[in-house]
Amino acid sequence: MEKELRVIISGGGTGGHIFPAVSIANAIKVIRPDAKILFVGALGRMEMQRVPAAGYEIKGLPICGFDRKNLLKNFKVLYKIWKSQRMAKQIIKDFKPQVAVGVGGYASGPTLNKAAAMGIPCLIQEQNSYAGVTNKLLAKKAAKICVAYEGMERFFPAEKIILTGNPVRQALLDTTITREDAIKELGFNPSKKVILLVGGSLGARTINESVLQHLDIVKASDVQFVWQTGKFYSEEIAKRLQGEDIPNLKVTDFITDMGTAYKAADLVISRAGASSISEFCLIGKPVILVPSPNVAEDHQTKNALALANRDAAIYVKDAEAPATLLELAVKTVNDEEKLKSLSENVLKLALPDSANIIAKEVIKLAK
């Protein structure tokens, strides 16, 4: 009988880190149902709710990022890093993993640092086309580095790199609903086009403003809009829409069933997070990408350009979106040729079966 498999998976902060982490855990469980998997996240961040909801145990570290505006506050940050390193060491001692996986985000730093120092093999998964600071620092200690884009030798030792793609939410690939039924479920007319606007799990101010400033375009068009505002902005937007009656606009703070929403959409407007892009590639969805400028090393713009340069997506700068986005979206969704070529080109960039490939590498390292 095989020795019990024990795996630590660390990282988080955003859905873009958490969804791949959970997908990897699920894939490990398919191959080795006996595997014991423990997540390590950052206290107060999204993973502390999302990981238990996916059926896994998680321990939280008090880690946070440096404050670049107020340097004096960083004494507290340094203390939290020191405390997180000590806690990570104790978690590893208690859990006794044979392998540690880092998916990026604050918590993966101290966890994988301590794991490597204790002789535990480490694998890191970099979702973006521009490597994050934590992963760049961990690369020296990692045995394997799983990436989603070509050309990552700029950041990591070439001999450690495996091009795997990003794991995505399995439910998106498993959805069997037809486009017609998906649109009916949204309360819309299947004979008309649908544009889906999503700004990530927390929302995106620019995408929201692009709609609010051009409600006249929404009203005048024959297109139906599904608009995920994000929980952070939902109250403010509800106030601003008071008194408006727009039957072709469905507003929601969060979409639980993204499989149905994607199936209904003829065109998606989205930020350019790595997980979202991987999903568009795998389902062949035409997309307009509006990268967030408020991310490390402007990595979302680099993600977006990796697609736009191959005519696999349309790229709109954040600063230009409020003025141009809605008009461009309506024009694009009514252009059948453009939709077809975007869909065909984005499908060519898909890297399927990522979670399973990464899971096999994790199990190999554990042995």
Side-chain angles (χ1 to χ4, degrees):
M1 195 174 146
E2 284 186 285
K3 188 180 165 192
E4 186 180 61
L5 176 63
R6 302 180 76 83
V7 183
I8 271 185
I9 301 178
S10 185
T14 65
H17 291 311
I18 299 160
F19 297 138
V22 170
S23 295
I24 293 166
N26 291 343
I28 291 169
K29 280 289 212 181
V30 169
I31 301 167
R32 288 287 301 271
D34 63 313
K36 300 280 184 289
I37 299 173
L38 176 68
F39 280 74
V40 180
L43 288 168
R45 304 290 290 197
M46 199 193 286
E47 58 265 29
M48 299 310 292
Q49 281 79 47
R50 291 286 173 88
V51 169
Y56 294 99
E57 186 189 350
I58 187 166
K59 304 272 187 193
L61 304 179
I63 188 129
C64 60
F66 281 101
D67 191 323
R68 288 169 190 171
K69 289 176 185 164
N70 189 338
L71 296 176
L72 289 174
K73 283 187 179 172
N74 287 325
F75 287 112
K76 198 186 272 185
V77 176
L78 288 168
Y79 170 71
K80 285 182 173 181
I81 290 172
W82 173 79
K83 191 176 178 188
S84 294
Q85 297 265 16
R86 289 194 63 182
M87 285 173 70
K89 187 176 181 180
Q90 194 56 53
I91 289 167
I92 292 163
K93 268 187 174 176
D94 294 344
F95 186 69
K96 300 181 179 64
Q98 292 120 331
V99 61
V101 179
V103 294
Y106 300 135
S108 63
T111 309
L112 267 75
N113 263 323
K114 283 296 164 194
M118 294 161 79
I120 293 156
C122 298
L123 175 146
I124 58 177
Q125 198 251 331
E126 175 55 63
Q127 291 108 19
N128 293 293
S129 59
Y130 194 94
V133 176
T134 305
N135 277 348
K136 280 194 270 191
L137 293 171
L138 291 170
K140 294 183 189 75
K141 297 169 183 182
K144 296 283 179 192
I145 302 167
C146 297
V147 301
Y149 292 89
E150 289 170 354
M152 297 302 283
E153 300 81 11
R154 295 176 291 160
F155 309 107
F156 304 129
E159 69 279 2
K160 294 182 179 182
I161 293 174
I162 308 168
L163 182 65
T164 59
N166 283 325
V168 302
R169 293 171 279 189
Q170 195 57 39
L172 297 183
L173 306 178
D174 293 345
T175 186
T176 54
I177 193 168
T178 63
R179 177 186 177 273
E180 191 171 327
D181 286 343
I183 293 173
K184 281 180 183 169
E185 213 163 284
L186 295 168
F188 278 159
N189 181 348
S191 66
K192 293 183 177 182
K193 297 284 187 185
V194 175
I195 293 175
L196 170 66
L197 301 108
V198 282
S201 42
L202 300 174
R205 182 175 289 283
T206 302
I207 292 176
N208 291 341
E209 281 301 323
S210 301
V211 182
L212 288 166
Q213 288 179 29
H214 296 285
L215 290 172
D216 56 327
I217 293 177
V218 175
K219 289 175 190 171
S221 86
D222 202 29
V223 177
Q224 303 166 120
F225 294 81
V226 180
W227 177 19
Q228 181 190 285
T229 62
K231 286 188 162 71
F232 190 72
Y233 300 104
S234 59
E235 237 175 274
E236 175 201 340
I237 286 167
K239 280 180 193 160
R240 287 173 70 176
L241 289 175
Q242 262 176 354
E244 294 279 4
D245 179 28
I246 314 173
N248 62 327
L249 176 65
K250 182 183 173 68
V251 185
T252 178
D253 63 344
F254 186 74
I255 296 170
T256 313
D257 185 359
M258 282 306 293
T260 296
Y262 280 154
K263 186 64 87 168
D266 297 285
L267 177 70
V268 179
I269 294 171
S270 171
R271 285 304 201 192
S275 279
S276 298
I277 284 180
S278 295
E279 290 172 356
F280 302 139
C281 291
L282 284 162
I283 61 177
K285 195 54 64 175
V287 62
I288 297 177
L289 295 169
V290 186
S292 170
N294 312 311
V295 292
E297 283 104 5
D298 196 24
H299 69 252
Q300 284 205 6
T301 297
K302 296 174 178 83
N303 290 349
L305 287 171
L307 268 67
N309 290 340
R310 298 181 185 192
D311 293 323
I314 296 170
Y315 160 53
V316 173
K317 282 184 183 171
D318 186 83
E320 293 168 6
T324 64
L325 182 61
L326 256 274
E327 198 176 335
L328 174 66
V330 171
K331 184 184 165 195
T332 305
V333 84
N334 286 310
D335 183 342
E336 287 297 340
E337 279 303 305
K338 186 66 178 172
L339 291 180
K340 187 169 178 277
S341 75
L342 285 172
S343 180
E344 286 171 358
N345 291 338
V346 82
L347 272 171
K348 289 173 192 167
L349 303 179
L351 290 165
D353 211 24
S354 303
N356 191 38
I357 295 165
I358 296 168
K360 285 176 178 170
E361 290 297 330
V362 171
I363 293 165
K364 247 190 261 177
L365 280 181
K367 287 174 180 173

